[in-house]
């Protein structure tokens, strides 16, 4: 658990030498506690102090990186229970399972699905993050064959090697040892052998035990065997167990600094029906799972799950923004109305939704106001007549329409006079205050 | 190191609110802990799933949805029966036809349909206006009177019309749905205003304003989590009303539930995509603490019920 400033102060030299840039050691300790300074700034800190403070600075849930290169993904490192308290930092990984028995055509299809899974959503590139090769229905040779297919087919995608048999893991990891895969899993029966492989190959290691008490004991045991990068599986598969176990694990780690459970969580959200699987995986995303293994990754399913993950992992302090642009809604022509709003994603989504509802094809000019809503942007001086005029002129909005009429949000009706001065020849029309009145407004004009 | 399960101590509890009567009556609320944490609280009632019906044909609903409802959509009574047969816990009748931009139906016409629908089903009924704050006052007054004794949920009472709508619910022994705009304090404020006019707080269901997956869902999600924390940890009596999420109306107007396979090949098949969109949105709202959901697709409602039964264990 994080130390207080006073507790940190006890471990500092107390010389008030000012070499760290702060007037006193106590002031420096306070900055350290607030995570606004680093102990490196103190040239005289003892090794003991570094060790103690280093441990206290470690996140309550260890962060683990899967894979290498530009497709590597970091999970864990979370510090809060609810996203409104701060934010959720490292989005969960969605992995698709490929069984050893699927070696060949089925595996090839899934690999292709991963390869082509990337979508662009509100400016972020999202995709299936990893592939879990499982030994289901096959032997070590078939398992290795699938690993090889994956390594050849999608070289950069992180791998999870799923088998309780160390020999099978050995056969698979030989083909991807330099790619920092995750080994799943150490169990009570095979912990020594799995820990040995993980250490040798510098791989992360998942620990599986049925229930939280057994998991706690096994996690401590595996750490004592010298593996630092652990991932935990308590065996929770039903939605209720997922919420309960994962909440207890996250709470124990964050609020009680309970180290044996302070690692990212992995779960398998496998269901016979693909929509049911999506609904279950969604619970994992919201309730603290860091790696979610799916049995299939249809495009529609990933669109829903990746959108949910994006929603949940958005920083509540930083509004989501859409790109500044003149968006075409419906089959807009050069005589279609031109409306303007700000680039706060919610403003955009709501306005766009209502324009779509109106069934009146339109042009929607979205101006970059650093993600502020219309009224806030106006109050902050970022949605003023001169800035709007400049945007309309420079964005090429004029080229889309043959008329010169701009519809502005009702809340900034006050801007209409100044805008007509700044945009000579333009007619400024004041639209409704609330987006839900847009259909009425647009239909009345059409 | 042995694990000591870190438990929260909750001082508050969500009110139980009963809707309908007889064998098919539904009670929502009653939670004494954050959603589904059975190791530190009890959940006497499972979240209820209502399917939505309108007083007009769903001509402007997306095709996937109209196909799922079929010919039942042409008549509100048939449609409500269809919802009951589909396994819905409740029917939500939205009197959309009364909106001045729609058919501008009279309050009397709306009341007649509400009474017919109430008589045709034995599961509880929710009666929603068209969202036109001014017209809704007359429409809901008439509909509330016409369904007196059915113990319905009437709404939505909003800042502009809460006095009249609440009075209509109170005079006819109905429960009330009170909607605020995506803000913890506004939600609390509306409950305070209602209580101050003499409306029993234990007869209110709050609607924090829903949103669809991908379109601001995180705002609703966090507002709900914060409302629940205030209700349970801070024992705030004005936050302890059950929560309803009106998700169908939001989900079925976004592009993901409408764009064809040909238009958006990178989004996969429309049928599955649309179904998943409403199901996953429901899953998120249930996880955040929804006590009641208003949904549109019977298939998605079935998925919501499936996950609810898995969560109730």
């Amino acid at each position: 658990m994080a130390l207080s400033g006073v507790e940190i102060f006890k471990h500092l030299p107390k010389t008030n030498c000012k070499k760290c840039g702060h007037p006193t050691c106590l002031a420096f300790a306070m900055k350290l506690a607030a995570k606004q300074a680093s102990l490196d700034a103190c040239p005289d800190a003892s090794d003991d102090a570094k060790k103690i403070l280093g441990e206290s600075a470690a996140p309550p849930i260890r962060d683990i990186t899967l894979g290498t290169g530009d497709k590597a993904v970091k999970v864990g490192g979370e510090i809060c229970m609810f996203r409104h308290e701060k934010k959720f930092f490292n989005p969960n990984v969605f992995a698709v399972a490929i069984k050893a028995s699927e070696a060949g055509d089925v595996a090839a299809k899934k690999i292709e699905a991963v390869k082509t899974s990337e979508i662009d959503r509100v400016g972020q590139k999202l995709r299936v993050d990893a592939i879990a090769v499982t030994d289901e229905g096959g032997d070590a040779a078939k398992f290795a064959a699938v690993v090889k297919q994956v390594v050849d087919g999608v070289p950069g995608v992180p791998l999870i090697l799923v088998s309780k048999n160390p020999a099978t893991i050995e056969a698979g990891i030989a083909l991807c040892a330099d790619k920092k895969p995750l080994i799943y899993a150490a169990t009570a029966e095979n912990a020594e052998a799995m820990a040995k492989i993980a250490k040798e190959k510098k791989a992360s290691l998942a620990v599986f035990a049925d229930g939280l008490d057994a998991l706690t004991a096994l996690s401590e045991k595996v750490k004592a065997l010298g593996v630092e990068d652990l991932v935990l599986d308590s065996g929770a598969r039903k939605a209720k167990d997922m919420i309960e176990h994962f909440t207890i694990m996250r709470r124990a780690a964050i609020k009680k600094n309970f180290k044996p459970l302070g690692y990212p969580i992995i779960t398998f959200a496998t269901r016979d029906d693909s929509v049911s699987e999506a609904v279950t995986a969604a619970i994992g995303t919201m309730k603290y799972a860091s790696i979610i293994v799916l049995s299939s990754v249809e495009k529609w399913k990933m669109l829903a799950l990746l959108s949910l993950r994006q929603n949940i992992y958005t920083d509540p302090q930083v509004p989501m923004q859409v790109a500044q642009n003149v968006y075409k809604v419906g089959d807009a022509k050069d005589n279609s109305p031109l409306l303007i709003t700000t680039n706060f994603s919610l403003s955009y989504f709501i306005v766009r939704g209502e324009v779509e509802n109106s069934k009146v094809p339109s042009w929607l000019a979205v101006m970059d106001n650093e993600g502020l809503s219309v009224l806030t942007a106006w109050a902050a001086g970022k949605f003023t007549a001169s800035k709007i005029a400049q945007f309309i002129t420079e964005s090429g909005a004029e080229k889309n329409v043959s008329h010169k009429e701009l519809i502005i949000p009702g809340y900034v009706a006050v801007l209409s006079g100044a805008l007509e001065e700044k945009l000579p020849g333009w007619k400024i029309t004041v639209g409704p205050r609330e987006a839900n009145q847009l259909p009425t407004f647009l239909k009345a004009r059409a | 190191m042995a694990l000591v399960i870190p438990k929260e101590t909750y001082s508050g509890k969500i009110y139980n609110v009963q809707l309908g009567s007889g064998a098919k009556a539904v009670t929502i609320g009653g939670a004494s802990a954050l959603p589904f944490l059975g190791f530190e609280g009890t959940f006497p009632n499972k979240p209820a799933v209502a399917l939505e019906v309108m007083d007009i044909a769903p001509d402007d609903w997306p095709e996937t949805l109209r196909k799922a409802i079929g010919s039942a959509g042409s008549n509100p009574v048939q449609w409500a029966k269809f919802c009951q047969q589909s396994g819905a816990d409740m029917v939500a009748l939205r009197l959309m036809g009364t909106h001045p931009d729609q058919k501008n139906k009279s309050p009397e016409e709306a009341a007649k349909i509400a009474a017919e629908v109430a008589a045709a089903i034995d599961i509880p009924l929710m009666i929603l206006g068209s969202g036109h704050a001014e017209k809704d006052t007359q429409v809901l007054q008439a509909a509330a009177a016409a369904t007196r004794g059915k113990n319905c949920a009437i709404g939505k009472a909003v800042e502009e019309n809460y006095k009249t709508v609440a009075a209509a619910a109170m005079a006819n022994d109905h429960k009330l749905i009170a909607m605020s705009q995506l803000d913890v304090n506004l939600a609390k404020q509306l409950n305070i205003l209602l209580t101050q006019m003499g409306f029993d707080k234990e007869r209110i269901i709050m609607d924090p304003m829903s949103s669809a997956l991908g379109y601001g869902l995180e705002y609703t999600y966090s507002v709900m989590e914060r409302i629940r924390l205030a209700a349970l940890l801070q024992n705030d009596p004005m936050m302890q009303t059950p929560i309803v999420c009106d998700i169908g109306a939001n989900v079925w107007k976004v592009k993901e539930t409408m764009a064809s396979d040909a238009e958006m090949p990178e989004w996969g098949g429309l049928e599955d995509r649309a179904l998943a969109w409403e199901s996953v949105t429901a899953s998120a709202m249930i996880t955040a603490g929804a006590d009641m959901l208003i949904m549109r697709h019977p298939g998605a409602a079935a998925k919501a019920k499936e996950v609810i039964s898995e969560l109730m264990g």
Side-chain angles (χ1 to χ4, degrees), chain B residues 289-307:
Chain B
D291 298 284
M292 187 158 80
L293 300 171
I294 305 172
M295 301 183 67
R296 288 189 171 173
H297 194 298
K303 290 293 164 199
K305 290 190 67 134
E306 183 184 304
V307 75

PDB file of all heavy atoms in Angstrom, chain B residues 289-307:
ATOM      1  N   GLY B 289     -26.055  -2.086 -11.848  1.00  0.00           N
ATOM      2  CA  GLY B 289     -27.070  -2.021 -10.795  1.00  0.00           C
ATOM      3  C   GLY B 289     -28.506  -1.803 -11.246  1.00  0.00           C
ATOM      4  O   GLY B 289     -29.369  -1.496 -10.416  1.00  0.00           O
ATOM      5  N   ALA B 290     -28.806  -1.976 -12.535  1.00  0.00           N
ATOM      6  CA  ALA B 290     -30.186  -1.794 -12.991  1.00  0.00           C
ATOM      7  C   ALA B 290     -31.109  -2.804 -12.309  1.00  0.00           C
ATOM      8  O   ALA B 290     -30.775  -3.980 -12.193  1.00  0.00           O
ATOM      9  CB  ALA B 290     -30.268  -1.962 -14.508  1.00  0.00           C
ATOM     10  N   ASP B 291     -32.266  -2.335 -11.869  1.00  0.00           N
ATOM     11  CA  ASP B 291     -33.261  -3.225 -11.271  1.00  0.00           C
ATOM     12  C   ASP B 291     -34.325  -3.600 -12.287  1.00  0.00           C
ATOM     13  O   ASP B 291     -35.096  -4.535 -12.076  1.00  0.00           O
ATOM     14  CB  ASP B 291     -33.918  -2.526 -10.077  1.00  0.00           C
ATOM     15  CG  ASP B 291     -32.906  -2.209  -9.000  1.00  0.00           C
ATOM     16  OD1 ASP B 291     -32.511  -3.140  -8.287  1.00  0.00           O
ATOM     17  OD2 ASP B 291     -32.461  -1.040  -8.909  1.00  0.00           O
ATOM     18  N   MET B 292     -34.386  -2.804 -13.367  1.00  0.00           N
ATOM     19  CA  MET B 292     -35.417  -3.039 -14.373  1.00  0.00           C
ATOM     20  C   MET B 292     -34.881  -2.515 -15.710  1.00  0.00           C
ATOM     21  O   MET B 292     -34.253  -1.456 -15.756  1.00  0.00           O
ATOM     22  CB  MET B 292     -36.680  -2.266 -13.956  1.00  0.00           C
ATOM     23  CG  MET B 292     -37.894  -2.518 -14.777  1.00  0.00           C
ATOM     24  SD  MET B 292     -39.382  -2.079 -13.823  1.00  0.00           S
ATOM     25  CE  MET B 292     -39.434  -0.312 -14.012  1.00  0.00           C
ATOM     26  N   LEU B 293     -35.136  -3.276 -16.777  1.00  0.00           N
ATOM     27  CA  LEU B 293     -34.670  -2.867 -18.095  1.00  0.00           C
ATOM     28  C   LEU B 293     -35.857  -2.761 -19.031  1.00  0.00           C
ATOM     29  O   LEU B 293     -36.771  -3.580 -18.962  1.00  0.00           O
ATOM     30  CB  LEU B 293     -33.719  -3.915 -18.683  1.00  0.00           C
ATOM     31  CG  LEU B 293     -32.445  -4.241 -17.913  1.00  0.00           C
ATOM     32  CD1 LEU B 293     -31.777  -5.455 -18.549  1.00  0.00           C
ATOM     33  CD2 LEU B 293     -31.489  -3.055 -17.955  1.00  0.00           C
ATOM     34  N   ILE B 294     -35.834  -1.759 -19.914  1.00  0.00           N
ATOM     35  CA  ILE B 294     -36.835  -1.685 -20.974  1.00  0.00           C
ATOM     36  C   ILE B 294     -36.114  -2.014 -22.271  1.00  0.00           C
ATOM     37  O   ILE B 294     -35.193  -1.298 -22.679  1.00  0.00           O
ATOM     38  CB  ILE B 294     -37.477  -0.283 -21.057  1.00  0.00           C
ATOM     39  CG1 ILE B 294     -38.054   0.106 -19.692  1.00  0.00           C
ATOM     40  CG2 ILE B 294     -38.557  -0.263 -22.143  1.00  0.00           C
ATOM     41  CD1 ILE B 294     -38.535   1.544 -19.624  1.00  0.00           C
ATOM     42  N   MET B 295     -36.522  -3.130 -22.897  1.00  0.00           N
ATOM     43  CA  MET B 295     -35.817  -3.598 -24.088  1.00  0.00           C
ATOM     44  C   MET B 295     -36.784  -3.748 -25.255  1.00  0.00           C
ATOM     45  O   MET B 295     -37.992  -3.700 -25.073  1.00  0.00           O
ATOM     46  CB  MET B 295     -35.114  -4.931 -23.785  1.00  0.00           C
ATOM     47  CG  MET B 295     -34.112  -4.823 -22.639  1.00  0.00           C
ATOM     48  SD  MET B 295     -33.202  -6.359 -22.302  1.00  0.00           S
ATOM     49  CE  MET B 295     -32.219  -6.530 -23.794  1.00  0.00           C
ATOM     50  N   ARG B 296     -36.246  -3.936 -26.451  1.00  0.00           N
ATOM     51  CA  ARG B 296     -37.110  -4.019 -27.625  1.00  0.00           C
ATOM     52  C   ARG B 296     -37.080  -5.371 -28.328  1.00  0.00           C
ATOM     53  O   ARG B 296     -38.078  -5.811 -28.850  1.00  0.00           O
ATOM     54  CB  ARG B 296     -36.751  -2.908 -28.627  1.00  0.00           C
ATOM     55  CG  ARG B 296     -37.204  -1.551 -28.130  1.00  0.00           C
ATOM     56  CD  ARG B 296     -37.071  -0.467 -29.182  1.00  0.00           C
ATOM     57  NE  ARG B 296     -37.713   0.757 -28.708  1.00  0.00           N
ATOM     58  CZ  ARG B 296     -37.645   1.920 -29.343  1.00  0.00           C
ATOM     59  NH1 ARG B 296     -36.971   2.016 -30.474  1.00  0.00           N
ATOM     60  NH2 ARG B 296     -38.262   2.973 -28.844  1.00  0.00           N
ATOM     61  N   HIS B 297     -35.927  -6.022 -28.396  1.00  0.00           N
ATOM     62  CA  HIS B 297     -35.834  -7.269 -29.162  1.00  0.00           C
ATOM     63  C   HIS B 297     -36.059  -8.461 -28.226  1.00  0.00           C
ATOM     64  O   HIS B 297     -35.328  -8.620 -27.247  1.00  0.00           O
ATOM     65  CB  HIS B 297     -34.456  -7.358 -29.811  1.00  0.00           C
ATOM     66  CG  HIS B 297     -34.347  -8.397 -30.885  1.00  0.00           C
ATOM     67  ND1 HIS B 297     -34.538  -9.741 -30.633  1.00  0.00           N
ATOM     68  CD2 HIS B 297     -34.083  -8.299 -32.213  1.00  0.00           C
ATOM     69  CE1 HIS B 297     -34.381 -10.417 -31.767  1.00  0.00           C
ATOM     70  NE2 HIS B 297     -34.109  -9.570 -32.738  1.00  0.00           N
ATOM     71  N   PRO B 298     -37.058  -9.302 -28.532  1.00  0.00           N
ATOM     72  CA  PRO B 298     -37.315 -10.447 -27.640  1.00  0.00           C
ATOM     73  C   PRO B 298     -36.092 -11.344 -27.472  1.00  0.00           C
ATOM     74  O   PRO B 298     -35.864 -11.880 -26.374  1.00  0.00           O
ATOM     75  CB  PRO B 298     -38.445 -11.205 -28.349  1.00  0.00           C
ATOM     76  CG  PRO B 298     -39.064 -10.227 -29.288  1.00  0.00           C
ATOM     77  CD  PRO B 298     -37.991  -9.258 -29.669  1.00  0.00           C
ATOM     78  N   GLY B 299     -35.293 -11.469 -28.528  1.00  0.00           N
ATOM     79  CA  GLY B 299     -34.097 -12.311 -28.444  1.00  0.00           C
ATOM     80  C   GLY B 299     -33.066 -11.717 -27.491  1.00  0.00           C
ATOM     81  O   GLY B 299     -32.431 -12.432 -26.714  1.00  0.00           O
ATOM     82  N   ALA B 300     -32.905 -10.401 -27.540  1.00  0.00           N
ATOM     83  CA  ALA B 300     -31.953  -9.742 -26.652  1.00  0.00           C
ATOM     84  C   ALA B 300     -32.465  -9.800 -25.210  1.00  0.00           C
ATOM     85  O   ALA B 300     -31.684  -9.976 -24.268  1.00  0.00           O
ATOM     86  CB  ALA B 300     -31.724  -8.293 -27.087  1.00  0.00           C
ATOM     87  N   ALA B 301     -33.784  -9.653 -25.049  1.00  0.00           N
ATOM     88  CA  ALA B 301     -34.366  -9.751 -23.704  1.00  0.00           C
ATOM     89  C   ALA B 301     -34.103 -11.137 -23.126  1.00  0.00           C
ATOM     90  O   ALA B 301     -33.796 -11.283 -21.939  1.00  0.00           O
ATOM     91  CB  ALA B 301     -35.861  -9.464 -23.754  1.00  0.00           C
ATOM     92  N   ALA B 302     -34.178 -12.165 -23.974  1.00  0.00           N
ATOM     93  CA  ALA B 302     -33.900 -13.532 -23.513  1.00  0.00           C
ATOM     94  C   ALA B 302     -32.447 -13.663 -23.067  1.00  0.00           C
ATOM     95  O   ALA B 302     -32.157 -14.314 -22.060  1.00  0.00           O
ATOM     96  CB  ALA B 302     -34.213 -14.534 -24.623  1.00  0.00           C
ATOM     97  N   LYS B 303     -31.534 -13.010 -23.798  1.00  0.00           N
ATOM     98  CA  LYS B 303     -30.120 -13.043 -23.404  1.00  0.00           C
ATOM     99  C   LYS B 303     -29.920 -12.330 -22.069  1.00  0.00           C
ATOM    100  O   LYS B 303     -29.146 -12.758 -21.220  1.00  0.00           O
ATOM    101  CB  LYS B 303     -29.239 -12.383 -24.467  1.00  0.00           C
ATOM    102  CG  LYS B 303     -29.126 -13.157 -25.751  1.00  0.00           C
ATOM    103  CD  LYS B 303     -28.386 -14.462 -25.536  1.00  0.00           C
ATOM    104  CE  LYS B 303     -28.629 -15.398 -26.711  1.00  0.00           C
ATOM    105  NZ  LYS B 303     -28.336 -16.799 -26.394  1.00  0.00           N
ATOM    106  N   ALA B 304     -30.627 -11.204 -21.888  1.00  0.00           N
ATOM    107  CA  ALA B 304     -30.521 -10.470 -20.626  1.00  0.00           C
ATOM    108  C   ALA B 304     -31.018 -11.352 -19.482  1.00  0.00           C
ATOM    109  O   ALA B 304     -30.399 -11.427 -18.422  1.00  0.00           O
ATOM    110  CB  ALA B 304     -31.313  -9.171 -20.697  1.00  0.00           C
ATOM    111  N   LYS B 305     -32.122 -12.043 -19.714  1.00  0.00           N
ATOM    112  CA  LYS B 305     -32.667 -12.906 -18.661  1.00  0.00           C
ATOM    113  C   LYS B 305     -31.721 -14.063 -18.347  1.00  0.00           C
ATOM    114  O   LYS B 305     -31.593 -14.490 -17.209  1.00  0.00           O
ATOM    115  CB  LYS B 305     -34.050 -13.429 -19.074  1.00  0.00           C
ATOM    116  CG  LYS B 305     -35.108 -12.319 -19.072  1.00  0.00           C
ATOM    117  CD  LYS B 305     -36.501 -12.868 -19.226  1.00  0.00           C
ATOM    118  CE  LYS B 305     -36.897 -13.683 -18.005  1.00  0.00           C
ATOM    119  NZ  LYS B 305     -38.230 -13.384 -17.513  1.00  0.00           N
ATOM    120  N   GLU B 306     -31.063 -14.542 -19.397  1.00  0.00           N
ATOM    121  CA  GLU B 306     -30.102 -15.636 -19.213  1.00  0.00           C
ATOM    122  C   GLU B 306     -28.948 -15.182 -18.305  1.00  0.00           C
ATOM    123  O   GLU B 306     -28.578 -15.879 -17.354  1.00  0.00           O
ATOM    124  CB  GLU B 306     -29.584 -16.021 -20.603  1.00  0.00           C
ATOM    125  CG  GLU B 306     -28.630 -17.176 -20.667  1.00  0.00           C
ATOM    126  CD  GLU B 306     -28.130 -17.372 -22.112  1.00  0.00           C
ATOM    127  OE1 GLU B 306     -28.967 -17.539 -23.025  1.00  0.00           O
ATOM    128  OE2 GLU B 306     -26.909 -17.328 -22.315  1.00  0.00           O
ATOM    129  N   VAL B 307     -28.416 -13.990 -18.581  1.00  0.00           N
ATOM    130  CA  VAL B 307     -27.274 -13.538 -17.771  1.00  0.00           C
ATOM    131  C   VAL B 307     -27.740 -13.180 -16.353  1.00  0.00           C
ATOM    132  O   VAL B 307     -27.031 -13.409 -15.380  1.00  0.00           O
ATOM    133  CB  VAL B 307     -26.490 -12.387 -18.447  1.00  0.00           C
ATOM    134  CG1 VAL B 307     -27.203 -11.076 -18.377  1.00  0.00           C
ATOM    135  CG2 VAL B 307     -25.113 -12.243 -17.824  1.00  0.00           C
TER     136      VAL B 307
END
